[in-house]
Amino acid sequence: MKSTVKALALAIALAAGSLVSACTERADARPNAPDAPAEGAPYVLKGTEVRTVSDPVSGREYEVFVSLPASYEASPERRYPVLYVTDADYAFPIIRQIARRVNLEGPVIEEFILVGLSYSRGDSPVASRNRDYTPTPNGPRRARSMVHGGGPAYQTYLKTRAIPFIESRYRADPARRVLLGHSYGGLLGAQIMFTDPGLFEAYILGSPSFWFDERHIMSMEATYARGHEDLPADVFMYIGEYETPGPSSRNTSVNMVGDLRTMERVLQSRGYASLRVRSVVLSDEDHLTVAPAGFTRALMAVLPSRD
C-alpha cells in the first residue's frame, strides 16, 4: 500500500514538473514580446533610429537620427533620395511629420530617407552649432566667447564620415542628396555649395545667416565664380517677412531678407547653366516661426512626387 502511494505521489510530482516545464517553454518561446510601457515613460518617435557617427579628427561623437520611408521594407530594390537636416533635435521630428501629413490624401512629396544631423555629445546645442555651422572664427560680438569657424572641418566630417555611414547601411541614392539648414544651418549649406557643390544635389537654405562676419559668404560666392563657369545645384531659399529691421519685436536687427534677395540676384546673374535658384518670403513669419512653413514649401519644391 505504501509503495502504491509513493508511486502515485511520484507520478503527480512528475506531471506537475512537466506542466511547469511546458509553461516555461511557452513563456521562453516569446522572449521578444514587448513589455507594456511604464506609465509616464518618455515619448519615443516610433519608426526612427539613433546612430552614433564619430569624427576621428576632432574626437567628437555626433548622434545621427534616421527615419525610413513607409515603403522601404516593401520595396527592397528601390533606392531613395536622402534629406540631411541640420539642428536635428528640433527639425527632424517636424520634417518627418510634415512629409507624412502632406501625403495623406495622395502623393505630393516624394518619399525620402530623412537623416537628422544632431549636435556633438557633451556640448550644448548653441556651442555645437556656433562652432560647426560657421565658416570663419569671427563670430558676432554677443557670442565672442564661443568658438566659431569649424564649418570647414564639419563639412569634411559630413563628406568622409556621416554620408558614407548612411550610404553603406541604407538604400540611399548617392546622386540625390539634399541638405536642409536653417539660420546658421543655411549658412553652412551655402559654404558647402561654394566649396564642394557636388556633395549635394540640392540645397535648402532657410533664413540663412548671410550676415555672419560682415557677409563673408558673399566673398566665398565671388571666389567660386572667379574659378568656375557652372554651379550644378538646385537651390531653394525661404525666409520670413519679419527678418529685416523694423519696429516689431519680431523684426531682426539685420536685413536678412535683403541679404537673401542679393544672393539670389547675384547667383542668377552668373548665368550658370546647371543652377536652379528660387526663393520665397513668407508673410507673417519671423526667424523662429518660419521653419515649419518653410520646411513644407521647400519639400514641395525640391522633392515633388514623381507619381
Side-chain angles (χ1 to χ4, degrees), residues 174-228:
R176 303 196 62 206
R177 303 178 194 137
V178 180
L179 178 64
L180 190 162
H182 182 88
S183 193
Y184 271 180
L187 178 64
L188 173 69
Q191 169 203 291
I192 295 173
M193 184 171 67
F194 294 137
T195 55
D196 191 2
L199 190 56
F200 296 93
E201 176 195 32
Y203 294 84
I204 299 169
L205 312 180
S207 297
S209 300
F210 292 156
W211 53 265
F212 182 85
D213 190 11
E214 300 181 353
R215 296 172 174 80
H216 176 79
I217 196 66
M218 300 306 298
S219 298
M220 296 184 70
E221 186 282 327
T223 299
Y224 180 86
R226 284 194 294 270
H228 300 82

CSV table of all heavy atoms in Angstrom, one decimal, residues 174-228:
chain,number,residue,atom,x,y,z
A,174,PRO,N,23.0,58.0,-54.0
A,174,PRO,CA,24.1,59.0,-53.8
A,174,PRO,C,24.0,60.2,-54.7
A,174,PRO,O,24.5,61.2,-54.5
A,174,PRO,CB,25.4,58.2,-54.2
A,174,PRO,CG,25.0,56.7,-54.1
A,174,PRO,CD,23.5,56.7,-54.4
A,175,ALA,N,23.2,60.0,-55.8
A,175,ALA,CA,23.0,61.1,-56.8
A,175,ALA,C,21.9,62.1,-56.3
A,175,ALA,O,21.7,63.1,-57.0
A,175,ALA,CB,22.7,60.6,-58.2
A,176,ARG,N,21.2,61.7,-55.2
A,176,ARG,CA,20.1,62.6,-54.8
A,176,ARG,C,20.2,62.9,-53.4
A,176,ARG,O,19.3,62.6,-52.6
A,176,ARG,CB,18.8,61.8,-55.2
A,176,ARG,CG,18.7,61.5,-56.7
A,176,ARG,CD,17.2,61.2,-57.0
A,176,ARG,NE,16.4,62.3,-56.8
A,176,ARG,CZ,15.1,62.2,-56.6
A,176,ARG,NH1,14.5,61.0,-56.5
A,176,ARG,NH2,14.3,63.3,-56.4
A,177,ARG,N,21.2,63.6,-53.0
A,177,ARG,CA,21.4,64.1,-51.6
A,177,ARG,C,20.9,65.5,-51.6
A,177,ARG,O,21.2,66.3,-52.4
A,177,ARG,CB,22.8,64.1,-51.2
A,177,ARG,CG,23.5,62.7,-51.3
A,177,ARG,CD,25.0,62.9,-50.8
A,177,ARG,NE,25.8,61.7,-51.2
A,177,ARG,CZ,27.0,61.8,-51.7
A,177,ARG,NH1,27.6,63.0,-52.0
A,177,ARG,NH2,27.7,60.7,-51.9
A,178,VAL,N,20.1,65.8,-50.5
A,178,VAL,CA,19.6,67.1,-50.3
A,178,VAL,C,20.0,67.6,-48.9
A,178,VAL,O,19.9,66.8,-47.9
A,178,VAL,CB,18.0,67.2,-50.4
A,178,VAL,CG1,17.5,68.6,-50.1
A,178,VAL,CG2,17.6,66.6,-51.7
A,179,LEU,N,20.5,68.8,-48.8
A,179,LEU,CA,20.9,69.4,-47.5
A,179,LEU,C,19.9,70.5,-47.1
A,179,LEU,O,19.7,71.4,-47.9
A,179,LEU,CB,22.3,69.9,-47.5
A,179,LEU,CG,22.8,70.6,-46.2
A,179,LEU,CD1,22.8,69.5,-45.0
A,179,LEU,CD2,24.1,71.2,-46.3
A,180,LEU,N,19.3,70.4,-45.9
A,180,LEU,CA,18.4,71.5,-45.5
A,180,LEU,C,19.0,72.1,-44.2
A,180,LEU,O,19.3,71.3,-43.2
A,180,LEU,CB,17.0,70.9,-45.2
A,180,LEU,CG,15.9,72.0,-44.9
A,180,LEU,CD1,14.5,71.3,-45.1
A,180,LEU,CD2,16.0,72.5,-43.5
A,181,GLY,N,19.2,73.4,-44.2
A,181,GLY,CA,19.7,74.0,-43.0
A,181,GLY,C,19.0,75.3,-42.7
A,181,GLY,O,18.7,76.0,-43.7
A,182,HIS,N,18.7,75.6,-41.5
A,182,HIS,CA,18.0,76.9,-41.1
A,182,HIS,C,19.0,77.8,-40.3
A,182,HIS,O,19.7,77.3,-39.4
A,182,HIS,CB,16.8,76.5,-40.3
A,182,HIS,CG,16.0,77.7,-39.9
A,182,HIS,ND1,15.0,78.2,-40.7
A,182,HIS,CD2,16.0,78.5,-38.8
A,182,HIS,CE1,14.4,79.3,-40.1
A,182,HIS,NE2,15.0,79.5,-39.0
A,183,SER,N,19.0,79.0,-40.6
A,183,SER,CA,19.8,80.0,-39.9
A,183,SER,C,21.3,79.7,-40.1
A,183,SER,O,21.8,79.8,-41.2
A,183,SER,CB,19.4,80.0,-38.4
A,183,SER,OG,20.0,81.1,-37.7
A,184,TYR,N,22.0,79.4,-39.0
A,184,TYR,CA,23.4,79.0,-39.2
A,184,TYR,C,23.5,77.8,-40.1
A,184,TYR,O,24.5,77.6,-40.8
A,184,TYR,CB,24.1,78.8,-37.9
A,184,TYR,CG,24.7,80.0,-37.2
A,184,TYR,CD1,25.4,79.9,-36.0
A,184,TYR,CD2,24.7,81.2,-37.8
A,184,TYR,CE1,26.0,81.0,-35.4
A,184,TYR,CE2,25.3,82.3,-37.2
A,184,TYR,CZ,25.9,82.2,-36.0
A,184,TYR,OH,26.5,83.3,-35.4
A,185,GLY,N,22.5,76.9,-40.0
A,185,GLY,CA,22.5,75.7,-40.9
A,185,GLY,C,22.4,76.1,-42.3
A,185,GLY,O,23.0,75.4,-43.2
A,186,GLY,N,21.7,77.2,-42.6
A,186,GLY,CA,21.6,77.7,-44.0
A,186,GLY,C,22.9,78.2,-44.5
A,186,GLY,O,23.3,78.1,-45.6
A,187,LEU,N,23.6,78.9,-43.5
A,187,LEU,CA,24.9,79.4,-43.8
A,187,LEU,C,25.9,78.3,-44.1
A,187,LEU,O,26.7,78.4,-45.1
A,187,LEU,CB,25.5,80.2,-42.6
A,187,LEU,CG,26.9,80.8,-42.7
A,187,LEU,CD1,26.9,81.9,-43.8
A,187,LEU,CD2,27.3,81.4,-41.4
A,188,LEU,N,25.8,77.2,-43.4
A,188,LEU,CA,26.7,76.0,-43.6
A,188,LEU,C,26.4,75.5,-45.0
A,188,LEU,O,27.3,75.1,-45.8
A,188,LEU,CB,26.4,74.9,-42.6
A,188,LEU,CG,27.1,73.6,-42.8
A,188,LEU,CD1,28.6,73.7,-42.7
A,188,LEU,CD2,26.6,72.5,-41.9
A,189,GLY,N,25.1,75.4,-45.4
A,189,GLY,CA,24.7,74.9,-46.7
A,189,GLY,C,25.3,75.7,-47.8
A,189,GLY,O,25.9,75.2,-48.8
A,190,ALA,N,25.3,77.1,-47.7
A,190,ALA,CA,25.9,77.9,-48.7
A,190,ALA,C,27.4,77.7,-48.7
A,190,ALA,O,28.0,77.7,-49.8
A,190,ALA,CB,25.6,79.4,-48.3
A,191,GLN,N,28.1,77.6,-47.6
A,191,GLN,CA,29.5,77.3,-47.5
A,191,GLN,C,29.8,76.1,-48.4
A,191,GLN,O,30.8,76.1,-49.2
A,191,GLN,CB,30.0,77.1,-46.1
A,191,GLN,CG,31.4,76.6,-46.0
A,191,GLN,CD,31.6,75.9,-44.6
A,191,GLN,OE1,31.7,76.6,-43.6
A,191,GLN,NE2,31.9,74.6,-44.6
A,192,ILE,N,29.1,75.0,-48.1
A,192,ILE,CA,29.4,73.7,-48.9
A,192,ILE,C,29.1,73.9,-50.4
A,192,ILE,O,29.9,73.5,-51.2
A,192,ILE,CB,28.5,72.6,-48.3
A,192,ILE,CG1,28.9,72.3,-46.9
A,192,ILE,CG2,28.6,71.4,-49.2
A,192,ILE,CD1,27.9,71.3,-46.2
A,193,MET,N,28.0,74.7,-50.7
A,193,MET,CA,27.7,74.9,-52.1
A,193,MET,C,28.8,75.6,-52.9
A,193,MET,O,29.0,75.4,-54.0
A,193,MET,CB,26.4,75.6,-52.2
A,193,MET,CG,25.9,75.8,-53.6
A,193,MET,SD,24.2,76.5,-53.6
A,193,MET,CE,24.5,78.2,-52.9
A,194,PHE,N,29.5,76.5,-52.2
A,194,PHE,CA,30.5,77.3,-52.8
A,194,PHE,C,31.9,76.7,-52.8
A,194,PHE,O,32.9,77.3,-53.3
A,194,PHE,CB,30.5,78.7,-52.3
A,194,PHE,CG,29.3,79.5,-52.6
A,194,PHE,CD1,28.7,80.3,-51.6
A,194,PHE,CD2,28.7,79.5,-53.8
A,194,PHE,CE1,27.5,81.0,-51.9
A,194,PHE,CE2,27.5,80.2,-54.1
A,194,PHE,CZ,26.9,80.9,-53.1
A,195,THR,N,32.0,75.6,-52.1
A,195,THR,CA,33.4,74.9,-52.0
A,195,THR,C,33.4,73.5,-52.5
A,195,THR,O,34.4,73.0,-53.0
A,195,THR,CB,33.8,74.9,-50.5
A,195,THR,OG1,32.9,74.3,-49.7
A,195,THR,CG2,34.1,76.3,-50.0
A,196,ASP,N,32.2,72.8,-52.4
A,196,ASP,CA,32.1,71.5,-52.9
A,196,ASP,C,30.7,71.2,-53.3
A,196,ASP,O,30.0,70.4,-52.7
A,196,ASP,CB,32.5,70.5,-51.8
A,196,ASP,CG,32.7,69.0,-52.3
A,196,ASP,OD1,32.5,68.8,-53.6
A,196,ASP,OD2,33.0,68.2,-51.5
A,197,PRO,N,30.2,71.9,-54.4
A,197,PRO,CA,28.8,71.9,-54.7
A,197,PRO,C,28.2,70.5,-55.0
A,197,PRO,O,27.0,70.2,-54.8
A,197,PRO,CB,28.6,72.8,-55.9
A,197,PRO,CG,30.0,72.9,-56.5
A,197,PRO,CD,30.9,72.7,-55.3
A,198,GLY,N,29.1,69.6,-55.5
A,198,GLY,CA,28.6,68.3,-55.9
A,198,GLY,C,28.3,67.4,-54.7
A,198,GLY,O,27.8,66.2,-54.9
A,199,LEU,N,28.6,67.8,-53.5
A,199,LEU,CA,28.4,67.0,-52.4
A,199,LEU,C,26.9,66.7,-52.2
A,199,LEU,O,26.5,65.6,-51.7
A,199,LEU,CB,29.0,67.6,-51.1
A,199,LEU,CG,29.0,66.8,-49.8
A,199,LEU,CD1,29.8,65.5,-50.0
A,199,LEU,CD2,29.6,67.6,-48.7
A,200,PHE,N,26.1,67.7,-52.6
A,200,PHE,CA,24.6,67.5,-52.5
A,200,PHE,C,24.0,67.9,-53.9
A,200,PHE,O,24.6,68.8,-54.6
A,200,PHE,CB,24.0,68.4,-51.4
A,200,PHE,CG,24.4,68.0,-50.0
A,200,PHE,CD1,25.5,68.6,-49.4
A,200,PHE,CD2,23.7,67.0,-49.4
A,200,PHE,CE1,25.9,68.2,-48.1
A,200,PHE,CE2,24.1,66.6,-48.1
A,200,PHE,CZ,25.2,67.2,-47.5
A,201,GLU,N,22.9,67.3,-54.2
A,201,GLU,CA,22.3,67.7,-55.5
A,201,GLU,C,21.5,69.0,-55.3
A,201,GLU,O,21.4,69.8,-56.2
A,201,GLU,CB,21.3,66.6,-55.9
A,201,GLU,CG,20.5,66.9,-57.1
A,201,GLU,CD,19.3,66.0,-57.3
A,201,GLU,OE1,18.8,65.5,-56.3
A,201,GLU,OE2,19.0,65.8,-58.5
A,202,ALA,N,20.9,69.1,-54.1
A,202,ALA,CA,20.0,70.3,-53.8
A,202,ALA,C,20.3,70.9,-52.4
A,202,ALA,O,20.8,70.2,-51.5
A,202,ALA,CB,18.5,69.9,-53.9
A,203,TYR,N,20.1,72.2,-52.3
A,203,TYR,CA,20.4,72.9,-51.1
A,203,TYR,C,19.2,73.7,-50.7
A,203,TYR,O,18.7,74.6,-51.5
A,203,TYR,CB,21.6,73.9,-51.3
A,203,TYR,CG,22.9,73.1,-51.5
A,203,TYR,CD1,23.3,72.7,-52.8
A,203,TYR,CD2,23.8,72.9,-50.5
A,203,TYR,CE1,24.5,72.0,-53.0
A,203,TYR,CE2,25.0,72.2,-50.7
A,203,TYR,CZ,25.3,71.8,-52.0
A,203,TYR,OH,26.5,71.1,-52.2
A,204,ILE,N,18.7,73.5,-49.5
A,204,ILE,CA,17.6,74.3,-49.0
A,204,ILE,C,18.2,75.2,-47.9
A,204,ILE,O,18.7,74.7,-46.9
A,204,ILE,CB,16.5,73.4,-48.4
A,204,ILE,CG1,15.9,72.5,-49.5
A,204,ILE,CG2,15.4,74.2,-47.7
A,204,ILE,CD1,15.0,71.4,-49.0
A,205,LEU,N,18.2,76.5,-48.2
A,205,LEU,CA,18.8,77.4,-47.3
A,205,LEU,C,17.7,78.2,-46.6
A,205,LEU,O,17.1,79.1,-47.2
A,205,LEU,CB,19.7,78.4,-48.1
A,205,LEU,CG,20.7,77.7,-49.0
A,205,LEU,CD1,21.6,78.7,-49.7
A,205,LEU,CD2,21.6,76.6,-48.2
A,206,GLY,N,17.4,77.9,-45.4
A,206,GLY,CA,16.3,78.5,-44.7
A,206,GLY,C,16.7,79.7,-43.8
A,206,GLY,O,17.6,79.5,-42.9
A,207,SER,N,16.2,80.9,-44.0
A,207,SER,CA,16.6,82.0,-43.2
A,207,SER,C,18.1,82.1,-43.0
A,207,SER,O,18.6,82.2,-41.8
A,207,SER,CB,15.9,82.0,-41.8
A,207,SER,OG,14.5,82.1,-42.0
A,208,PRO,N,18.8,82.0,-44.0
A,208,PRO,CA,20.3,81.8,-43.9
A,208,PRO,C,21.0,83.0,-43.3
A,208,PRO,O,20.6,84.2,-43.6
A,208,PRO,CB,20.8,81.6,-45.4
A,208,PRO,CG,19.7,82.2,-46.2
A,208,PRO,CD,18.4,82.0,-45.4
A,209,SER,N,21.9,82.8,-42.4
A,209,SER,CA,22.6,83.9,-41.7
A,209,SER,C,23.8,84.4,-42.6
A,209,SER,O,25.0,84.4,-42.2
A,209,SER,CB,23.2,83.4,-40.4
A,209,SER,OG,22.1,82.9,-39.6
A,210,PHE,N,23.4,85.0,-43.8
A,210,PHE,CA,24.4,85.5,-44.7
A,210,PHE,C,25.1,86.7,-44.1
A,210,PHE,O,26.1,87.2,-44.6
A,210,PHE,CB,23.7,85.9,-46.0
A,210,PHE,CG,23.3,84.7,-46.8
A,210,PHE,CD1,22.2,84.9,-47.8
A,210,PHE,CD2,23.8,83.5,-46.7
A,210,PHE,CE1,21.8,83.8,-48.5
A,210,PHE,CE2,23.4,82.4,-47.5
A,210,PHE,CZ,22.4,82.6,-48.4
A,211,TRP,N,24.6,87.3,-43.0
A,211,TRP,CA,25.2,88.5,-42.4
A,211,TRP,C,26.5,88.1,-41.6
A,211,TRP,O,27.3,89.0,-41.4
A,211,TRP,CB,24.2,89.1,-41.4
A,211,TRP,CG,23.7,88.1,-40.4
A,211,TRP,CD1,22.5,87.4,-40.4
A,211,TRP,CD2,24.3,87.6,-39.2
A,211,TRP,NE1,22.4,86.5,-39.4
A,211,TRP,CE2,23.5,86.6,-38.6
A,211,TRP,CE3,25.5,88.0,-38.5
A,211,TRP,CZ2,23.8,86.0,-37.4
A,211,TRP,CZ3,25.9,87.3,-37.4
A,211,TRP,CH2,25.0,86.3,-36.8
A,212,PHE,N,26.7,86.8,-41.4
A,212,PHE,CA,27.8,86.4,-40.5
A,212,PHE,C,29.1,87.0,-41.0
A,212,PHE,O,29.5,86.9,-42.2
A,212,PHE,CB,27.8,84.9,-40.4
A,212,PHE,CG,28.9,84.4,-39.5
A,212,PHE,CD1,28.7,84.2,-38.1
A,212,PHE,CD2,30.2,84.0,-40.0
A,212,PHE,CE1,29.7,83.8,-37.3
A,212,PHE,CE2,31.1,83.5,-39.1
A,212,PHE,CZ,30.9,83.4,-37.8
A,213,ASP,N,30.0,87.5,-40.1
A,213,ASP,CA,31.3,88.0,-40.3
A,213,ASP,C,31.3,88.9,-41.6
A,213,ASP,O,32.0,88.7,-42.5
A,213,ASP,CB,32.3,86.8,-40.6
A,213,ASP,CG,33.7,87.3,-40.6
A,213,ASP,OD1,34.0,88.5,-40.3
A,213,ASP,OD2,34.6,86.5,-41.0
A,214,GLU,N,30.5,90.0,-41.4
A,214,GLU,CA,30.4,91.0,-42.5
A,214,GLU,C,30.1,90.4,-43.9
A,214,GLU,O,30.7,90.8,-44.8
A,214,GLU,CB,31.7,91.9,-42.5
A,214,GLU,CG,32.0,92.6,-41.2
A,214,GLU,CD,33.2,93.4,-41.2
A,214,GLU,OE1,34.0,93.4,-42.2
A,214,GLU,OE2,33.4,94.2,-40.2
A,215,ARG,N,29.2,89.5,-43.9
A,215,ARG,CA,28.7,88.9,-45.1
A,215,ARG,C,29.9,88.2,-45.8
A,215,ARG,O,30.0,88.2,-47.1
A,215,ARG,CB,28.0,89.9,-46.0
A,215,ARG,CG,26.7,90.4,-45.4
A,215,ARG,CD,26.1,91.6,-46.2
A,215,ARG,NE,24.9,92.0,-45.6
A,215,ARG,CZ,24.7,92.8,-44.5
A,215,ARG,NH1,25.8,93.2,-43.9
A,215,ARG,NH2,23.5,93.1,-44.0
A,216,HIS,N,30.6,87.4,-45.1
A,216,HIS,CA,31.8,86.7,-45.6
A,216,HIS,C,31.3,85.7,-46.7
A,216,HIS,O,32.1,85.4,-47.7
A,216,HIS,CB,32.5,85.9,-44.5
A,216,HIS,CG,33.6,85.0,-45.0
A,216,HIS,ND1,34.8,85.5,-45.3
A,216,HIS,CD2,33.6,83.7,-45.2
A,216,HIS,CE1,35.6,84.5,-45.7
A,216,HIS,NE2,34.9,83.4,-45.7
A,217,ILE,N,30.1,85.2,-46.6
A,217,ILE,CA,29.6,84.2,-47.6
A,217,ILE,C,29.6,84.8,-49.0
A,217,ILE,O,29.8,84.1,-50.0
A,217,ILE,CB,28.2,83.7,-47.2
A,217,ILE,CG1,27.9,82.4,-48.0
A,217,ILE,CG2,27.1,84.8,-47.4
A,217,ILE,CD1,28.8,81.2,-47.6
A,218,MET,N,29.4,86.2,-49.1
A,218,MET,CA,29.4,86.8,-50.5
A,218,MET,C,30.8,86.8,-51.1
A,218,MET,O,31.0,86.6,-52.3
A,218,MET,CB,28.9,88.2,-50.4
A,218,MET,CG,27.5,88.4,-49.8
A,218,MET,SD,26.3,87.4,-50.7
A,218,MET,CE,26.4,88.1,-52.3
A,219,SER,N,31.8,86.8,-50.2
A,219,SER,CA,33.2,86.7,-50.7
A,219,SER,C,33.5,85.3,-51.2
A,219,SER,O,34.2,85.1,-52.2
A,219,SER,CB,34.2,87.0,-49.6
A,219,SER,OG,34.1,88.4,-49.2
A,220,MET,N,32.9,84.3,-50.5
A,220,MET,CA,33.0,82.9,-50.9
A,220,MET,C,32.3,82.7,-52.3
A,220,MET,O,32.8,81.9,-53.1
A,220,MET,CB,32.4,82.0,-49.8
A,220,MET,CG,33.2,82.0,-48.5
A,220,MET,SD,32.6,80.8,-47.3
A,220,MET,CE,33.1,79.3,-48.1
A,221,GLU,N,31.2,83.3,-52.4
A,221,GLU,CA,30.5,83.2,-53.7
A,221,GLU,C,31.3,83.8,-54.8
A,221,GLU,O,31.4,83.2,-55.9
A,221,GLU,CB,29.1,83.9,-53.6
A,221,GLU,CG,28.2,83.7,-54.9
A,221,GLU,CD,28.6,84.6,-56.0
A,221,GLU,OE1,29.1,85.7,-55.8
A,221,GLU,OE2,28.5,84.1,-57.2
A,222,ALA,N,31.9,84.9,-54.6
A,222,ALA,CA,32.7,85.6,-55.6
A,222,ALA,C,33.9,84.8,-56.0
A,222,ALA,O,34.3,84.7,-57.1
A,222,ALA,CB,33.1,87.0,-55.1
A,223,THR,N,34.6,84.2,-55.0
A,223,THR,CA,35.7,83.3,-55.2
A,223,THR,C,35.3,82.2,-56.1
A,223,THR,O,36.1,81.8,-57.0
A,223,THR,CB,36.3,82.9,-53.9
A,223,THR,OG1,36.8,84.0,-53.1
A,223,THR,CG2,37.5,81.9,-54.1
A,224,TYR,N,34.2,81.5,-55.8
A,224,TYR,CA,33.7,80.4,-56.6
A,224,TYR,C,33.5,80.9,-58.0
A,224,TYR,O,33.9,80.2,-59.0
A,224,TYR,CB,32.5,79.8,-56.0
A,224,TYR,CG,32.0,78.6,-56.8
A,224,TYR,CD1,32.4,77.3,-56.6
A,224,TYR,CD2,31.0,78.8,-57.8
A,224,TYR,CE1,32.0,76.3,-57.3
A,224,TYR,CE2,30.6,77.8,-58.6
A,224,TYR,CZ,31.1,76.5,-58.4
A,224,TYR,OH,30.7,75.4,-59.1
A,225,ALA,N,32.9,82.0,-58.2
A,225,ALA,CA,32.5,82.5,-59.5
A,225,ALA,C,33.8,82.7,-60.4
A,225,ALA,O,33.8,82.5,-61.6
A,225,ALA,CB,31.7,83.7,-59.4
A,226,ARG,N,34.8,83.2,-59.7
A,226,ARG,CA,36.0,83.5,-60.5
A,226,ARG,C,36.7,82.2,-61.0
A,226,ARG,O,37.4,82.3,-62.1
A,226,ARG,CB,37.0,84.2,-59.6
A,226,ARG,CG,36.7,85.7,-59.4
A,226,ARG,CD,37.9,86.5,-58.8
A,226,ARG,NE,38.2,86.0,-57.5
A,226,ARG,CZ,37.7,86.5,-56.3
A,226,ARG,NH1,36.8,87.5,-56.4
A,226,ARG,NH2,38.0,86.0,-55.2
A,227,GLY,N,36.5,81.1,-60.4
A,227,GLY,CA,37.2,79.9,-60.8
A,227,GLY,C,36.3,78.9,-61.5
A,227,GLY,O,36.8,77.8,-61.9
A,228,HIS,N,35.0,79.2,-61.7
A,228,HIS,CA,34.1,78.2,-62.2
A,228,HIS,C,33.1,78.8,-63.2
A,228,HIS,O,32.7,80.0,-63.1
A,228,HIS,CB,33.3,77.5,-61.1
A,228,HIS,CG,34.1,76.8,-60.1
A,228,HIS,ND1,34.7,77.4,-59.1
A,228,HIS,CD2,34.4,75.5,-60.0
A,228,HIS,CE1,35.4,76.6,-58.4
A,228,HIS,NE2,35.3,75.4,-58.9
